Amino acid sequence: CAATMKHLLALLVMLGSFQHALPESYSCSASEFKLDGEYILGGLFDIHHRNSSVVYNRPVIVDCSRQSFTLSSYRMFQVMRFAVQEINNSSLILPNVSLGYEIFDHCSDKFNFQAILNMISRNGSIQVLRCVNEYLSKVIAVAGPFRSMESMTVAPMFAMNLIPMVNYGSSSSVLSDKWKYPSFLRTTASNKDLIHLIILIIQHFNWNWVAFVSSGDENSQNGLQLFKSKLKDTKICLAYAKELNEMSDHYEILQQLEGLSIEVIIVFAGQSSAVAFIKSAIKHNIHSKVWIAGDSWSLNKNLPRLSGIKAIGTIIGITETVMPLPGFKDFVYLSQTQRNNRPSTCEQTPSRQTCNQACDLCSDVSPEEIIGENPSYSFATYSAIYAMAHALHNLLLCDIKGCSDNVTVYPFMLLRELKRSNFTILNRHIEFDSNGDPTSTSYAIVFWNQSGQAEKVGSYETDPTLDVPFSINNTQIHWYADQVPVARCSPECSEGFAKKIDGLHQCCFQCNVCPGMTYVNYTDDPYSCIDCRKTEWSKPGSTFCTQRSVEYILFTDPIAITLMFSTGVLLALTLAIVILFALNYDKPVVKSAGGPMCFLLLGCLSASSISVFFFFGKPTVTNCVLRYFLFLLFYTVCLGCFAVRSFQIVCIFKMATKFPKIHSWWVKHNGQWWLIAIVFVLQLLLLTTVFTASPPTPVNDMTSYRDQIILKCAMTRTVIMFLLLTIVLVSLCFIFSYMGKDLPKNYNESKAITLYLLFLILTWITFCTASILYHGKYLQLFNAMSVLSSSYSILFCYFLPKCYIIIFQPQKNTQQHFQGIIQRYTQNISSK
């Protein structure tokens, strides 16, 4: 404790020298600045305010009575006097205990230390080496001063001995730091709540392009810093910030605001700076703006009366909710009447008691002017005095019988009780948090209406327990343009357009449409087009993605049912032909068709047709393999049979006479069956090898259609290469069939095979064309139809004409008929 005092000893000795530089002072036995009592409360009010800064080369005490008079502070001064009188007249708070006060006109934050030294002294001296638990000062607590810079200047002086400061007007958030200002409390809200309310108002009206005009005092600068820091979590842009001072060119500032197309201007400045700036706006014909007034001038009584104030636009103010003080009006009337009626008692005396406790202009102020002045901080002053009285009440163990007279009240003890404050006054709860700030504050949002009155249009409560802490009645605000102004750097993008920042501010942007398969999420990131997931899709200019539909051919699809029924019919026809051929096995038509090879051909045809059933349903590895394996294997055998058959026809009618040895060797060693077996084994080995290594697999086609996922079977390139065997067989069939185009008309199977091949080629050309042009789920149906068409073409072109002869033209199904045809053909060939 002693060590702390030593660090400040030199400063206090220097400051003490101010007492030897006092001008003539006033000894006023009935002064408004003093009231005797058992416990003295200090008060610091800037009844006068020093505007200009003058450099002195020696210590100086400013005579406040010669500075500019501030009526609003004089009103707060009267509120303190009223509160002390009310407490003294009450028997509930401090029965049989009288409160007194020592108030100073604190007109400067640099030249009023004499008043501070007077308050912390005891019997005219300051014992700097005393510990706080032993120190008694002239006052037990202090109310004020009003401005934040003044509080930050004098607070360390009171903090030395933990003399409580209960402030009514300093709202800088810096003062919440208890390491620097341990004895500082306040009944007015911190700037952080005030700035938060300003941001809520801006967000409520969907503005984002604003200016912040401050002044050079600590409170305004703190407000600007808080505003900038809180903007990081919002979509609001600070387009312009300017500090007003005595040398500011208001016209230039206003022109800059116009040049940036700023419609909303926050004037968070001291009252004198704000008033001068608004007057300049009127003078320079600034029109149609929204002015958000800080609490220092939102209830100003003179500005609304100025000519042209309505032309500058709409003025919205924020202030702590004005609480009427019952009895204050009567107190002011009585106090001013007594002051004006008594003779002058404040004469200059040689006692040199103190200074800055005189107010020559106060006699000229009428009670109506005091009562009608800006009441913004009246309740804060009133509750600050009551907080001190309640703390003293608890410290003195007061009850309805009285207070204890055996308790020595040290300032640090009163500070401890003040921090524990928990009482209600005029239906408002008073309590301090750990930073010395009020736990709850009520703000009013006001609108300067057409009659020049500050009309309440909204409210904000800092109490976190409330469900709706913030509200504004939009219908009560009459905008200059009859609608809510638009205050944005760039107009909002249309739905589905992403913002591209244009310049330094995120509020200034261009709008670019998001392409298909992307979307913009205005909640999370309005500046990016986000890719949809692979299973989703979107149109250009979307704000969300839609789940893709999964498409494949169901067994219940009508076309699938038709194809499966057609396959069943084909199998039935194949079975019928087998039976018919079996019954006519020894007949020439069956023998000319290939005899036993017909049954192999019909069996492979049936096996390949079964693959149609595996084209439906959700693709799996099994049905993908079977749909291609069955068809490629058995239909290749069919083609092998036709290749052998067409070769035999040409061999019989042409090569037998020219190459009898080759024909004899072919017949003797059953060459046709060896060739078919080789084709079968070769295709089986190839397909088995490839399908084992890289089988056709189900794939999700996500590229063909943006809104669909097509489930299909993918053929590998290796598998596709083995279609070459099929192509070779088709080519051989076509060559041999073409060689037999001049065979006997009634015995020309080559023409039937050629017709079949034409149908086959046409079918698969059609399918290939469709697969190039179309990639939807019905491509699988086209594939199944091609398989079925290939099978039906064999029946219709090759087998059904023979069935027709067997059933309807039995006279042509004789040995003699066939031999006659062959003899005539041979004779024609020989004659040539």
Side-chain angles (χ1 to χ4, degrees):
C1 176
T4 303
M5 295 301 176
K6 288 179 181 179
H7 287 292
L8 298 172
L9 178 59
L11 175 63
L12 292 177
V13 171
M14 181 187 71
L15 294 176
S17 66
F18 280 110
Q19 289 182 307
H20 301 290
L22 304 180
E24 293 293 334
S25 56
Y26 298 91
S27 176
C28 306
S29 58
S31 171
E32 290 184 309
F33 290 85
K34 292 183 179 181
L35 179 68
D36 294 332
E38 297 174 61
Y39 298 95
I40 304 298
L41 305 181
L44 295 171
F45 297 87
D46 56 345
I47 299 173
H48 297 84
H49 183 65
R50 181 181 177 84
N51 291 316
S52 61
S53 298
V54 180
V55 178
Y56 296 94
N57 55 12
R58 62 186 179 84
V60 173
I61 294 296
V62 176
D63 185 356
C64 289
S65 62
R66 298 181 181 180
Q67 310 303 318
S68 300
F69 179 69
T70 307
L71 181 56
S72 59
S73 293
Y74 184 61
R75 175 190 168 98
M76 290 183 277
F77 166 85
Q78 294 293 350
V79 170
M80 177 175 176
R81 296 182 62 242
F82 167 66
V84 172
Q85 176 181 292
E86 196 174 60
I87 292 168
N88 284 337
N89 291 339
S90 172
S91 60
L92 298 177
I93 301 178
L94 294 172
N96 68 27
V97 173
S98 62
L99 278 182
Y101 50 76
E102 183 84 10
I103 304 176
F104 289 88
D105 187 357
H106 194 75
C107 62
S108 171
D109 63 335
K110 300 178 181 178
F111 306 110
N112 282 165
F113 285 100
Q114 183 273 340
I116 309 304
L117 296 172
N118 184 291
M119 288 183 178
I120 65 176
S121 66
R122 182 75 175 179
N123 297 324
S125 65
I126 301 174
Q127 300 176 348
V128 295
L129 298 179
R130 286 291 184 93
C131 293
V132 293
N133 58 352
E134 300 175 354
Y135 191 82
L136 287 172
S137 58
K138 185 175 185 178
V139 299
I140 59 171
V142 180
F146 176 69
R147 290 177 171 81
S148 296
M149 192 67 242
E150 296 169 348
S151 295
M152 294 169 65
T153 302
V154 304
M157 306 292 292
F158 294 104
M160 287 189 304
N161 297 298
L162 295 182
I163 299 174
M165 288 181 66
V166 186
N167 194 275
Y168 53 83
S170 301
S171 55
S172 173
S173 62
V174 175
L175 291 164
S176 297
D177 187 349
K178 294 303 103 179
W179 286 101
K180 294 182 178 180
Y181 309 103
S183 64
F184 182 89
L185 302 93
R186 53 185 159 197
T187 52
T188 188
S190 168
N191 272 344
K192 64 181 182 180
D193 295 321
L194 200 62
I195 294 299
H196 182 63
L197 174 55
I198 291 176
I199 290 177
L200 288 177
I201 294 173
I202 295 172
Q203 291 175 327
H204 176 78
F205 292 111
N206 200 27
W207 297 326
N208 69 4
W209 192 241
V210 300
F212 195 103
V213 177
S214 61
S215 51
D217 60 279
E218 163 60 27
N219 186 63
S220 296
Q221 292 305 303
N222 176 252
L224 176 58
Q225 292 173 4
L226 287 172
F227 187 74
K228 288 180 177 179
S229 64
K230 287 183 176 292
L231 289 188
K232 296 177 182 178
D233 299 325
T234 69
K235 298 179 181 179
I236 302 170
C237 292
L238 180 57
Y240 181 83
K242 189 66 176 179
E243 177 185 323
L244 301 176
N245 54 50
E246 296 175 358
M247 304 301 295
S248 295
D249 186 343
H250 290 169
Y251 177 73
E252 180 181 355
I253 296 172
L254 292 168
Q255 288 301 112
Q256 291 172 345
L257 292 171
E258 289 281 16
L260 292 171
S261 301
I262 299 174
E263 301 298 324
V264 176
I265 305 167
I266 304 163
V267 185
F268 197 85
Q271 181 166 245
S272 58
S273 297
V275 169
F277 187 63
I278 296 300
K279 287 182 177 179
S280 295
I282 298 173
K283 176 182 176 182
H284 296 295
N285 296 318
I286 301 300
H287 295 286
S288 305
K289 302 291 184 185
V290 177
W291 306 84
I292 299 181
D295 58 342
S296 64
W297 65 283
S298 58
L299 295 183
N300 187 282
K301 300 297 182 179
N302 297 319
L303 275 179
R305 302 170 187 168
L306 295 179
S307 175
I309 188 69
K310 297 177 183 178
I312 67 172
T314 303
I315 298 178
I316 298 174
I318 48 178
T319 180
E320 291 190 38
T321 302
V322 175
M323 301 291 295
L325 305 179
F328 178 65
K329 181 177 179 180
D330 295 336
F331 170 82
V332 171
Y333 272 104
L334 180 61
S335 178
Q336 288 300 101
T337 301
Q338 291 175 347
R339 178 187 177 92
N340 296 335
N341 290 340
R342 67 171 180 259
S344 177
T345 57
C346 298
E347 299 178 355
Q348 293 183 348
T349 65
S351 60
R352 307 175 68 86
Q353 289 183 357
T354 185
C355 67
N356 295 343
Q357 289 185 302
C359 180
D360 297 335
L361 296 176
C362 294
S363 300
D364 299 332
V365 181
S366 67
E368 289 79 8
E369 290 178 292
I370 298 174
I371 295 168
E373 183 50 36
N374 184 351
S376 297
Y377 298 94
S378 295
F379 180 76
T381 306
Y382 184 76
S383 58
I385 304 304
Y386 265 88
M388 300 175 192
H390 276 275
L392 189 59
H393 170 93
N394 296 333
L395 203 56
L396 296 177
L397 307 176
C398 298
D399 55 24
I400 58 175
K401 297 179 181 179
C403 300
S404 173
D405 54 3
N406 295 325
V407 179
T408 301
V409 178
Y410 291 96
F412 82 92
M413 298 169 62
L414 189 66
L415 176 62
R416 181 181 60 203
E417 290 300 326
L418 274 166
K419 291 181 177 179
R420 299 172 180 171
S421 295
N422 192 343
F423 64 94
T424 300
I425 180 172
L426 300 181
N427 295 322
R428 287 287 301 278
H429 184 69
I430 306 299
E431 187 178 4
F432 302 102
D433 62 18
S434 59
N435 296 322
D437 298 330
T439 56
S440 63
T441 304
S442 176
Y443 283 103
I445 303 168
V446 298
F447 159 67
W448 288 16
N449 59 27
Q450 297 299 313
S451 61
Q453 300 295 321
E455 177 185 351
K456 182 177 179 181
V457 295
S459 63
Y460 173 62
E461 303 286 342
T462 60
D463 187 351
T465 62
L466 296 178
D467 294 333
V468 186
F470 170 75
S471 64
I472 293 181
N473 188 344
N474 295 349
T475 59
Q476 290 183 264
I477 302 176
H478 302 287
W479 303 99
Y480 54 83
D482 295 328
Q483 60 183 359
V484 178
V486 177
R488 310 185 71 83
C489 179
S490 300
E492 276 300 309
C493 294
S494 301
E495 187 176 87
F497 283 72
K499 301 175 182 178
K500 181 182 179 182
I501 295 178
D502 183 13
L504 299 177
H505 296 280
Q506 65 174 359
C507 301
C508 303
F509 48 81
Q510 297 176 350
C511 297
N512 298 324
V513 65
C514 285
M517 306 307 292
T518 67
Y519 71 101
V520 57
N521 188 329
Y522 293 113
T523 302
D524 295 339
D525 183 10
Y527 298 92
S528 301
C529 293
I530 305 170
D531 291 332
C532 294
R533 297 175 183 173
K534 291 184 177 180
T535 58
E536 298 175 334
W537 74 284
S538 68
K539 298 183 296 184
S542 295
T543 56
F544 60 91
C545 291
T546 304
Q547 196 72 22
R548 288 186 178 191
S549 61
V550 179
E551 302 290 338
Y552 58 92
I553 303 299
L554 297 172
F555 283 101
T556 55
D557 188 286
I559 302 179
I561 294 173
T562 302
L563 289 178
M564 287 187 290
F565 177 77
S566 300
T567 304
V569 171
L570 185 142
L571 293 174
L573 288 174
T574 302
L575 179 60
I577 294 172
V578 168
I579 295 172
L580 182 63
F581 274 36
L583 295 176
N584 296 273
Y585 183 76
D586 294 329
K587 297 297 178 66
V589 171
V590 176
K591 288 181 180 181
S592 67
M597 191 178 293
C598 292
F599 298 102
L600 174 62
L601 188 61
L602 289 169
C604 291
L605 183 63
S606 300
S608 66
S609 301
I610 294 174
S611 64
V612 172
F613 294 100
F614 297 102
F615 281 92
F616 312 120
K618 188 174 183 179
T620 63
V621 175
T622 301
N623 62 24
C624 283
V625 169
L626 290 177
R627 72 171 62 170
Y628 295 117
F629 186 88
L630 291 176
F631 179 71
L632 288 175
L633 178 61
F634 293 105
Y635 203 81
T636 300
V637 174
C638 291
L639 289 174
C641 291
F642 278 115
V644 170
R645 185 64 188 145
S646 59
F647 172 76
Q648 284 182 320
I649 294 172
V650 173
C651 184
I652 290 173
F653 285 97
K654 292 188 175 184
M655 296 182 63
T657 57
K658 295 181 181 181
F659 306 101
K661 292 183 179 181
I662 296 176
H663 178 263
S664 175
W665 180 90
W666 176 269
V667 174
K668 181 179 179 181
H669 296 283
N670 294 315
Q672 71 272 21
W673 295 109
W674 282 105
L675 184 59
I676 293 171
I678 290 171
V679 170
F680 175 77
V681 173
L682 179 61
Q683 185 76 327
L684 179 63
L685 289 175
L686 291 176
L687 290 176
T688 303
T689 302
V690 174
F691 277 31
T692 302
S694 180
T697 55
V699 294
N700 299 335
D701 180 5
M702 297 184 177
T703 59
S704 298
Y705 298 93
R706 65 184 182 183
D707 59 339
Q708 297 178 2
I709 299 175
I710 307 298
L711 301 187
K712 62 182 182 180
C713 297
M715 289 281 286
T716 63
R717 292 182 179 180
T718 308
V719 173
I720 294 174
M721 289 179 63
F722 288 108
L723 292 175
L724 292 174
L725 179 59
T726 304
I727 296 173
V728 168
L729 292 175
V730 170
S731 300
L732 290 175
C733 287
F734 195 83
I735 291 171
F736 291 136
S737 298
Y738 181 78
M739 290 172 64
K741 66 181 185 298
D742 57 346
L743 292 177
K745 183 178 180 181
N746 293 329
Y747 186 68
N748 196 344
E749 295 184 9
S750 294
K751 292 182 180 180
I753 295 174
T754 302
L755 181 61
Y756 147 69
L757 290 174
L758 289 174
F759 274 112
L760 179 67
I761 293 171
L762 182 62
T763 296
W764 289 102
I765 288 176
T766 303
F767 171 73
C768 291
T769 303
S771 63
I772 294 172
L773 301 177
Y774 175 72
H775 301 281
K777 67 176 181 178
Y778 290 107
L779 186 62
Q780 306 299 315
L781 284 178
F782 295 153
N783 199 343
M785 290 171 65
S786 299
V787 170
L788 199 57
S789 176
S790 301
S791 300
Y792 267 106
S793 62
I794 293 176
L795 287 183
F796 285 117
C797 295
Y798 191 78
F799 285 105
L800 289 185
K802 295 172 175 52
C803 293
Y804 178 80
I805 293 174
I806 294 173
I807 298 173
F808 297 104
Q809 294 181 338
Q811 70 276 8
K812 293 182 180 181
N813 191 14
T814 61
Q815 190 70 29
Q816 293 81 4
H817 179 74
F818 274 82
Q819 285 179 351
I821 293 174
I822 294 173
Q823 288 175 359
R824 285 192 295 272
Y825 176 76
T826 303
Q827 291 173 358
N828 291 333
I829 292 296
S830 299
S831 63
K832 292 180 181 179

